[in-house]
Every structure is written in structure tokens, then in C-alpha cells.
């Protein structure tokens, strides 16, 4: 049985992690005569474990009902991670540019760059294990898709599927099959269960400042929220697939490349405010990266291992 190691937590914890980073950076930037001790910057320490390098084949298990449009939004995001993936405009930040920061982690560890290759797609539209799943069943589903070492499985559950801990403590998690050391990611569609927690900033938050929601770049609050969680989980999986790669030991839930910057999407972000973003002139939707077929996405800021700061793409 596999054990989920790291997860994208819900809103209350993102405020805490964001504030920790903000306070640490503020202490570094504001030396005073009365402050003789300056704490070191937070950093993601490499614990010498395996990273997911080279060509990585990603399989998707669609668990429950997803529309063709929803599948296309997610598949296009994965295809957009390829360095050669075209975007509609070279003047706008691309998904592949966002992904370059993850390559910095691998280079720093002396590893090869990671190239995402979309592989098998399996459709379990009838929900073979039911619509109320335990975390162990996510591992079971992932193992059915990828029972051998190598490759990454993305288990995506539809909006009417409940998963243990979903909304209560996490919006997605990544782990591995301990027998085969095959990594997997789970992310659920939160649109009918907890959009204020797992689809923010496209839905008004349950906690914190009640700001006006942003427009979802693909017009689908649930799936655009899933993209944020998929992107964050993917960043964590590549750089910390088995729990001994890059992470910050915060004394509680370890923070990874994206979870260390949860809630940040653009410059000037603070709790309840996603930051300065690009706006689609035709739809009014907010985004910060462009992918294949002109797709627009909102992607989380990543922790930069070279500067020890969160780096939004815009």
C-alpha cells in the first residue's frame, strides 16, 4: 500500500506558510540597530533522494464523469510543459517558462532535466470503487494504471466523488506505491464540494478577506482550480517524489516547491489577494501563463532555490 506523503493544504494553512515566508523575508530586508541577529532565509534543502529526471511518462486516470472540454483543458496543460510547446504570443509568459524553475532544482542536484510526456489515458466513468474513496484506494487506482517502476500516474476524481481528507485537510496530494516506488498524484474537482477552499481565487474563500473571485481562464471554476492543484502537486512530485528530495522541514507538514508559496500567483500577493495578474480582454478572466492552443492558465508561484524567495511567473 502506498502512503500519500505531501499534500496541497486548504486555505488556513496557506495563510500560515505565506506569512512565515513573508516574515522571514521582511526580517532579512529590514536591518535595524536594535536587531543584531538576522535569521537565515528559508530554503528548500535537498535530502539526497531520487528526483524524477529525464523523460517522464504521465498517465491519467479519469475517475468519474469529465466532459471533453474538461479533459482537453488538463491535457493541454501537461502538453504545455514541454519546452518546445508553442504559445500564442512570445510576449506573454508561457507554461513552459514556469516549468523552467523546476529544472533549476534538478540542475542544482546534478540531475537531468525532466520532460513531461503525456502517455496512457484510462477512463473509469462508472467509478469502479464507488464515489466515496479512502486515501488507500487512490493508491490502488494508481497502481492499476502503473504497476511497474517508472512513470507517473495522475488520478483525477470528478466533482461528485468524495475522497478522504478532501476539503477537510487537502485539495490534492502526491505519494508513491511503496512496493514499486511508482509516484502518483491525486487531485479532485472541488466545484460542488469546497470551491472556496480548493478553487480559490476563482471562488470566494470560506476564510479570510472576502474578496471578489477572479474569472477562471478556461471558464470552468472546478477544472481551473484543479490546474492550480495539479501544477503544485506536479512541482512537488518532481522535486520530492519519495519524501527525501527537496523540502522545507517546517516542524509540521513539510513545504515543497509550490506549497511553500501557496496563495501567491502574481507580484504583490498577500493573504486574500492573488497578486498582479494578466487579464483576458475578451472574457475578463485572470491568468499568468499561456499554453498550447492559446490556453490560458493560472499557475502557483514557485520557491526559487537560487534566491530563497517565492517567484511568481508575472
Amino acid at each position: 500500500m502506498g502512503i500519500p506523503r505531501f499534500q496541497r493544504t486548504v486555505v488556513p494553512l496557506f495563510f500560515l506558510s505565506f506569512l512565515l515566508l513573508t516574515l522571514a523575508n521582511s526580517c532579512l530586508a529590514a536591518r535595524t540597530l536594535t536587531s543584531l541577529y538576522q535569521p537565515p532565509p528559508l530554503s528548500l534543502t535537498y535530502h539526497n533522494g531520487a528526483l524524477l529526471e529525464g523523460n517522464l511518462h504521465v498517465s491519467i486516470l479519469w475517475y468519474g464523469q469529465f466532459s471533453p472540454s474538461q479533459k482537453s483543458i488538463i491535457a493541454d496543460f501537461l502538453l504545455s510543459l514541454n519546452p518546445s510547446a508553442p504559445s500564442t504570443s512570445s510576449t506573454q509568459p508561457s507554461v513552459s517558462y514556469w516549468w523552467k524553475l523546476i529544472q533549476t532544482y534538478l540542475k542544482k542536484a546534478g540531475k537531468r532535466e525532466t520532460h513531461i510526456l503525456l502517455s496512457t489515458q484510462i477512463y473509469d466513468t462508472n467509478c469502479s470503487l464507488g464515489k466515496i474513496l479512502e486515501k488507500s484506494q487512490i493508491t490502488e487506482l494508481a497502481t492499476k494504471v502503473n504497476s511497474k517502476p517508472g512513470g507517473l500516474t495522475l488520478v483525477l476524481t470528478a466533482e461528485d466523488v468524495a475522497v478522504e481528507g478532501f476539503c477537510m485537510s487537502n485539495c490534492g496530494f502526491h505519494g508513491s506505491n511503496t512496493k514499486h516506488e511508482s509516484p502518483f498524484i491525486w487531485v479532485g474537482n472541488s466545484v460542488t464540494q469546497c470551491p472556496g477552499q480548493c478553487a480559490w481565487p476563482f471562488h470566494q474563500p470560506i476564510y479570510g478577506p472576502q474578496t471578489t473571485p477572479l474569472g477562471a481562464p478556461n471558464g470552468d471554476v472546478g477544472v481551473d482550480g484543479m490546474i492550480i492543484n495539479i501544477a503544485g502537486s506536479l512541482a512537488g512530485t518532481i522535486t520530492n517524489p519519495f519524501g527525501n528530495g527537496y523540502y522545507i522541514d517546517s516542524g509540521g507538514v513539510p513545504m515543497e516547491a509550490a506549497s511553500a508559496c501557496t496563495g501567491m500567483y502574481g507580484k504583490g500577493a498577500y493573504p486574500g489577494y492573488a497578486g498582479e495578474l494578466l487579464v483576458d480582454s475578451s472574457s475578463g478572466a485572470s491568468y499568468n501563463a499561456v499554453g498550447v492552443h492559446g490556453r490560458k492558465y493560472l499557475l502557483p508561484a514557485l520557491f526559487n532555490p537560487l534566491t530563497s524567495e517565492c517567484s511568481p511567473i508575472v
Side-chain angles (χ1 to χ4, degrees):
M1 180 180 295
I3 301 175
R5 295 188 176 88
F6 297 93
Q7 57 194 31
R8 194 261 192 179
T9 52
V10 294
V11 173
L13 287 182
F14 103 56
F15 286 143
L16 177 59
S17 62
F18 179 64
L19 286 172
L20 285 172
L21 288 170
T22 303
L23 289 172
N25 289 334
S26 296
C27 290
L28 290 170
R31 292 189 60 136
T32 65
L33 294 176
T34 59
S35 179
L36 300 178
Y37 171 72
Q38 294 297 322
L42 295 174
S43 63
L44 264 75
T45 303
Y46 179 44
H47 295 79
N48 300 314
L51 307 180
L52 299 186
E53 58 181 316
N55 291 333
L56 182 64
H57 294 269
V58 178
S59 299
I60 303 176
L61 172 59
W62 303 95
Y63 192 84
Q65 297 287 339
F66 288 87
S67 70
S69 173
Q70 291 175 327
K71 295 172 186 174
S72 179
I73 292 168
I74 293 172
D76 280 352
F77 166 68
L78 295 173
L79 293 172
S80 299
L81 295 168
N82 190 312
S84 62
S87 65
T88 54
S89 174
S90 59
T91 63
Q92 293 185 322
S94 65
V95 174
S96 60
Y97 179 80
W98 174 84
W99 188 244
K100 281 184 179 180
L101 189 52
I102 293 300
Q103 310 295 7
T104 303
Y105 284 85
L106 290 124
K107 183 177 181 179
K108 189 176 180 182
K111 308 293 184 180
R112 294 172 295 160
E113 290 190 350
T114 303
H115 299 285
I116 302 297
L117 304 174
L118 187 55
S119 183
T120 307
Q121 297 190 55
I122 297 176
Y123 308 95
D124 191 344
T125 55
N126 294 323
C127 299
S128 59
L129 298 182
K131 292 189 176 183
I132 301 178
L133 302 177
E134 297 179 357
K135 284 187 175 181
S136 60
Q137 290 177 299
I138 297 295
T139 307
E140 181 181 342
L141 289 169
T143 303
K144 288 181 179 179
V145 177
N146 189 10
S147 60
K148 298 179 180 180
L152 171 67
T153 301
L154 186 58
V155 179
L156 304 177
T157 51
E159 61 184 82
D160 59 346
V161 177
V163 176
E164 179 186 359
F166 190 26
C167 301
M168 298 295 291
S169 61
N170 64 73
C171 301
F173 58 76
H174 72 84
S176 66
N177 180 317
T178 54
K179 181 178 180 181
H180 302 291
E181 284 297 296
S182 298
F184 65 85
I185 294 170
W186 163 75
V187 173
N189 187 333
S190 67
V191 69
T192 59
Q193 299 182 55
C194 54
Q197 291 169 296
C198 295
W200 185 85
F202 305 128
H203 191 280
Q204 202 164 17
I206 293 177
Y207 306 98
Q210 298 299 295
T211 53
T212 302
L214 302 180
N218 292 284
D220 189 315
V221 169
V223 172
D224 279 308
M226 289 182 77
I227 291 294
I228 292 173
N229 296 317
I230 291 170
S233 295
L234 187 59
T237 303
I238 300 301
T239 58
N240 190 31
F242 307 117
N244 55 4
Y246 283 96
Y247 63 88
I248 299 172
D249 188 356
S250 60
V253 177
M255 294 186 289
E256 300 178 319
S259 60
C261 305
T262 302
M264 300 180 67
Y265 301 94
K267 293 179 181 178
Y270 55 81
Y273 173 59
E276 300 174 13
L277 302 171
L278 301 172
V279 178
D280 188 307
S281 59
S282 60
S283 67
S286 297
Y287 68 100
N288 60 9
V290 179
V292 298
H293 305 133
R295 290 277 191 195
K296 294 179 174 66
Y297 297 102
L298 185 64
L299 304 180
L302 297 174
F303 193 87
N304 190 325
L306 301 180
T307 63
S308 294
E309 295 179 343
C310 290
S311 296
I313 191 172
V314 295

